[in-house]
Amino acid sequence: QVQLVESGGGLVQPGGSLRLSCTASGSILRIRHMGWYRQAPGKERELVATITSSGSINYEDAVKGRFTISRDNAKNTVYLQMNNLKPDDTAVYYCNANIINSQTDYSSDYWGQGTQVTVSS
């Protein structure tokens, strides 16, 4: 069994910063790509940023220059540093990871439970 546990969401004023963390645990043989998605009320879930095991990074255009994704492979953890936050960034943020399960040798996508980020004055 594999679990992703997120932390770091909350309420912040426009222009403020937050740092999200997501740690994978359980039957992990290897973690391939990791990433963050978000879903605002009434909207579909959308990609925010992804990072491969070798460090290649991709960002949604709306967050380029404001958000930074990084990962610590030794800790099975991915981070999302969010700066200059805007009200449009308000959403539930989900961690995603493609993991090869050590018990089955199969890779699957796993999701965290989500963490609320609210940007409001």
Side-chain angles (χ1 to χ4, degrees), residues 27-77:
S27 303
I28 298 170
L29 179 62
R30 186 164 69 89
I31 301 177
R32 300 165 78 179
H33 58 264
M34 304 183 82
W36 291 93
Y37 290 71
R38 65 185 180 185
Q39 187 167 18
K43 294 186 177 181
E44 294 186 352
R45 190 173 299 188
E46 64 177 6
L47 170 71
V48 176
T50 60
I51 182 168
T52 67
S53 57
S54 61
S56 296
I57 290 172
N58 180 50
Y59 293 105
E60 180 205 11
D61 286 345
V63 307
K64 285 181 179 177
R66 300 188 297 122
F67 291 10
T68 302
I69 189 171
S70 61
R71 64 188 281 175
D72 185 332
N73 291 328
K75 295 181 179 180
N76 291 338
T77 299

Side-chain angles (χ1 to χ4, degrees), residues 71-119:
R71 64 188 281 175
D72 185 332
N73 291 328
K75 295 181 179 180
N76 291 338
T77 299
V78 63
Y79 305 95
L80 186 67
Q81 177 66 43
M82 305 184 292
N83 297 329
N84 191 21
L85 282 160
K86 304 175 180 180
D88 283 349
D89 295 318
T90 296
V92 177
Y93 283 70
Y94 296 91
C95 173
N96 167 266
N98 186 269
I99 296 173
I100 300 175
N101 190 304
S102 61
Q103 293 185 329
T104 65
D105 286 342
Y106 288 120
S107 66
S108 299
D109 274 337
Y110 295 87
W111 293 89
Q113 79 282 3
T115 184
Q116 177 70 46
V117 172
T118 302
V119 185

